[in-house]
Amino acid sequence: RKGIHIDTEVLEDILGVSVVPAVAVKGKGIREVFHAAIETAESRKKPKKIEYSKDVEEVINRLEKELKDDSGKLSIPSRLLSLKLLENDHHFLKYVKAPRILGLVKKCQEELEERHGKPSDVVISSERHAQAMNIFEKAAHITEPEISVRDRLDDILMHKYYGYVSLVVILYVFFNIVFGIGRVLESYILSLFDTATPWLSLYLDDLSLKLAEGLLEGFAGGVGIVLPYLVPFLIGLAILEDIGYLPRIAFLMDTFLHRIGLHGKAVIPIILGYGCAVPAVMATRILESDRDRFITGAISTLVPCAARTTIILGLVAFFISANAALGIYILNLIVVVVLGLILSRFMPEITPGLILEIPSYHIPSAKSVLLKTWLRTREFIYIAWPLLVGGSILLGYMNYVGLDSFVNTVLSPLTFVLGLPSVVGVTLIFGIFKKELSLVMLIQALGTSHVLKVLTETQILTFCVFVVFYIPCVATLSVLAKEFGLKRMGYIMLMTTGVALVLSLLVRVVGMILYT
């Protein structure tokens, strides 16, 4: 469609390996790729060496001869190791311990810098780029591209003004569709479960009834509250990803992130955070600066993940309004910006620019969308749902023996400050394990799915804001500890809890002013 035609036979001859045309998003050629990979591995076929300019090759070969023994011990090809050392790649430099070799690497780097007038890593990357262009010119020819309507979309979607208007409209429509579907399903499914609870009391004693109700409410929470919002949200996210719109969001947000002192690539972990905070924190590894990684990891934990989205839509949007839920997202964005600015001021550093590949627009593949949705829903079904059911049964037992009253008494200073009934205290503990538990446990603790009968709109908003911003879930905390250490994980916990407390108190005060 772009008018680029690749001669695979010529490319095979140049590279010395099999070349398989494939369209991954449509599943074309995937089987052939795996067959070619297995065949290449079994035949132990080696690719041809792509040689650089003569003077650069002289330096590479000299270093390669010295590294033969070291690369063999490390199971790293000597040429690869030589190139990476000349590029000053810290991952490979840590494998080389001998002072003699390190001295030689330094000498070779200086030689390249002297000959070309630029750093050795730039020399190597420039050579690689030049060879890639040479290969392209031999293996491809270009004709007139086919200009279609979707090629004109970026005139609007990536415009310096209309692009942001389009982004707001797309996200507004996206969340309203998710909420619309979820609301219909939640109302219908919960009404079915509500009729089953009175029926249980006819056949069970007190303890059995409490445990059975916990089991039923945990199951109902997954089927009737979480999945109706989670599945449409993940389907929509997969569609936006397959269309190719997510990288365009990253492009639009690049300038914005630089304003708050972050690298443009930081938008990738932040966008991932809307699905789950765990991969979002892990994705901070793509950032070169430790300072950028920490700041991005910290604000990624505040982004409403799929679990928090379930709470926002299933509680605020369902019982108050879709616009109230949208207000929480806007508040969240403001908080992320403000915290980003504050952290950047405390940890000043110049941030580099962003190089980002913008893919062509694609019509989403139904198979790909459903597979991505399943892979992301599977975590909830296999991990979160058993916790939901187990937590509900545990809460039922705690209620029977009176342990929930003890927990609620311990947390009563917090619930009193927030203006919430003391019975919701125990739900905040469960929410640390999995955020979805807060919503399901809330309905169980209140003893009704008709939340507006026992909580005011201000209390619903206060509860939701606190749960959205307070301590990240256990899975996220473990990843934060692994990536940044226990000390900095503790800082993030204190920061998120402080933010949650301040914002929920602000919501309570504003609510009291508006409704009195």
Side-chain angles (χ1 to χ4, degrees):
R1 200 167 55 80
K2 289 184 175 181
I4 300 171
H5 306 276
I6 301 167
D7 190 327
T8 54
E9 291 183 6
V10 172
L11 196 54
E12 277 187 352
D13 184 57
I14 294 170
L15 300 176
V17 292
S18 299
V19 174
V20 182
V23 184
V25 292
K26 294 182 179 178
K28 293 182 179 178
I30 303 300
R31 187 180 296 275
E32 289 81 359
V33 167
F34 279 94
H35 282 309
I38 292 166
E39 186 182 308
T40 303
E42 289 175 345
S43 66
R44 298 190 177 274
K45 186 178 181 182
K46 291 187 177 181
K48 291 182 179 177
K49 185 170 78 171
I50 306 297
E51 293 198 351
Y52 294 160
S53 302
K54 188 177 179 182
D55 63 319
V56 176
E57 278 296 328
E58 284 175 2
V59 175
I60 295 170
N61 291 334
R62 192 188 322 142
L63 184 57
E64 192 178 348
K65 286 176 185 175
E66 296 293 333
L67 290 171
K68 282 283 185 186
D69 293 336
D70 290 85
S71 66
K73 293 173 187 174
L74 299 170
S75 299
I76 301 172
S78 56
R79 183 175 176 84
L80 172 64
L81 185 58
S82 302
L83 287 166
K84 288 298 171 185
L85 293 176
L86 290 172
E87 287 182 283
N88 216 27
D89 190 305
H90 295 288
H91 177 77
F92 287 86
L93 276 169
K94 67 184 180 185
Y95 289 115
V96 180
K97 307 292 183 185
R100 183 181 65 82
I101 298 296
L102 289 172
L104 179 60
V105 169
K106 185 68 177 173
K107 187 178 178 181
C108 290
Q109 287 177 340
E110 289 171 353
E111 190 175 332
L112 285 177
E113 288 173 19
E114 188 179 334
R115 290 183 185 182
H116 292 264
K118 46 192 174 185
S120 60
D121 59 326
V122 177
V123 175
I124 298 298
S125 64
S126 299
E127 284 289 321
R128 187 180 292 116
H129 186 269
Q131 291 304 320
M133 287 302 298
N134 290 339
I135 293 169
F136 172 77
E137 287 171 3
K138 292 174 185 174
H141 68 279
I142 301 173
T143 59
E144 281 291 319
E146 300 173 18
I147 306 296
S148 63
V149 174
R150 57 180 167 177
D151 294 309
R152 301 294 183 195
L153 279 175
D154 282 338
D155 293 343
I156 298 172
L157 297 181
M158 294 180 72
H159 190 271
K160 62 180 179 179
Y161 301 124
Y162 303 138
Y164 295 98
V165 175
S166 304
L167 176 62
V168 171
V169 170
I170 288 168
L171 293 181
Y172 180 81
V173 171
F174 171 70
F175 283 110
N176 272 276
I177 289 172
V178 171
F179 165 66
I181 295 169
R183 182 168 192 165
V184 171
L185 293 175
E186 181 181 357
S187 301
Y188 178 72
I189 295 169
L190 285 183
S191 64
L192 293 176
F193 281 102
D194 284 343
T195 58
T197 306
W199 180 78
L200 291 173
S201 61
L202 299 173
Y203 301 96
L204 300 172
D205 58 41
D206 286 349
L207 176 58
S208 300
L209 179 62
K210 288 291 183 185
L211 297 178
E213 283 180 348
L215 174 65
L216 187 65
E217 285 168 1
F219 189 76
V223 176
I225 299 174
V226 179
L227 289 179
Y229 295 104
L230 182 64
V231 173
F233 175 79
L234 293 177
I235 288 173
L237 197 65
I239 289 171
L240 290 178
E241 188 178 343
D242 271 19
I243 285 172
Y245 189 59
L246 289 189
R248 286 162 172 83
I249 295 176
F251 172 81
L252 290 169
M253 297 301 290
D254 178 48
T255 304
F256 172 75
L257 284 168
H258 273 287
R259 294 276 173 88
I260 65 172
L262 279 178
H263 192 296
K265 277 197 288 190
V267 77
I268 296 169
I270 292 170
I271 288 174
L272 283 173
Y274 282 97
C276 178
V278 172
V281 173
M282 292 175 71
T284 59
R285 295 172 186 174
I286 65 172
L287 301 172
E288 292 81 6
S289 162
D290 180 65
R291 170 259 194 193
D292 282 2
R293 289 183 65 238
F294 175 69
I295 295 176
T296 306
I299 62 178
S300 293
T301 61
L302 294 169
V303 172
C305 61
R308 286 162 168 158
T309 293
T310 300
I311 297 169
I312 295 168
L313 296 179
L315 191 61
V316 175
F318 187 78
F319 290 106
I320 302 177
S321 71
N323 287 332
L326 185 62
I328 291 179
Y329 281 101
I330 294 170
L331 174 65
N332 183 271
L333 187 61
I334 293 169
V335 170
V336 166
V337 171
V338 171
L339 276 176
L341 282 168
I342 293 170
L343 291 171
S344 297
R345 295 296 178 272
F346 277 108
M347 305 168 71
E349 187 178 288
I350 296 172
T351 54
L354 171 68
I355 298 174
L356 180 70
E357 180 188 356
I358 302 293
S360 302
Y361 289 106
H362 297 286
I363 296 171
S365 159
K367 182 180 177 181
S368 172
V369 168
L370 292 174
L371 185 60
K372 286 178 182 179
T373 303
W374 162 244
L375 290 172
R376 290 164 179 169
T377 309
R378 187 173 61 181
E379 183 194 357
F380 169 76
I381 293 173
Y382 289 163
I383 300 172
W385 205 346
L387 283 173
L388 270 179
V389 175
S392 293
I393 295 171
L394 178 60
L395 185 57
Y397 180 75
M398 288 170 68
N399 181 258
Y400 177 76
V401 299
L403 188 58
D404 62 329
S405 299
F406 172 74
V407 175
N408 290 332
T409 302
V410 172
L411 294 175
S412 59
L414 175 61
T415 51
F416 174 77
V417 169
L418 296 177
L420 298 172
S422 60
V423 293
V424 308
V426 71
T427 69
L428 301 176
I429 301 296
F430 281 100
I432 298 173
F433 294 100
K434 288 293 285 185
K435 290 295 178 183
E436 304 97 324
L437 285 169
S438 293
L439 178 55
V440 178
M441 297 297 119
L442 175 68
I443 290 171
Q444 190 173 348
L446 295 175
T448 177
S449 60
H450 303 288
V451 176
L452 271 175
K453 289 183 178 180
V454 287
L455 294 180
T456 65
E457 290 186 358
T458 300
Q459 287 176 318
I460 289 173
L461 284 169
T462 303
F463 177 83
C464 185
V465 167
F466 187 80
V467 170
V468 165
F469 286 100
Y470 85 133
I471 301 173
C473 68
V474 170
T476 305
L477 290 175
S478 64
V479 174
L480 285 170
K482 182 180 177 183
E483 296 294 324
F484 306 120
L486 286 171
K487 187 177 180 180
R488 291 202 282 183
M489 180 204 76
Y491 290 151
I492 292 173
M493 282 179 62
L494 289 172
M495 179 192 74
T496 54
T497 305
V499 167
L501 196 56
V502 169
L503 291 176
S504 50
L505 284 173
L506 185 63
V507 169
R508 184 192 177 192
V509 171
V510 171
M512 289 169 65
I513 294 170
L514 292 176
Y515 293 104
T516 53

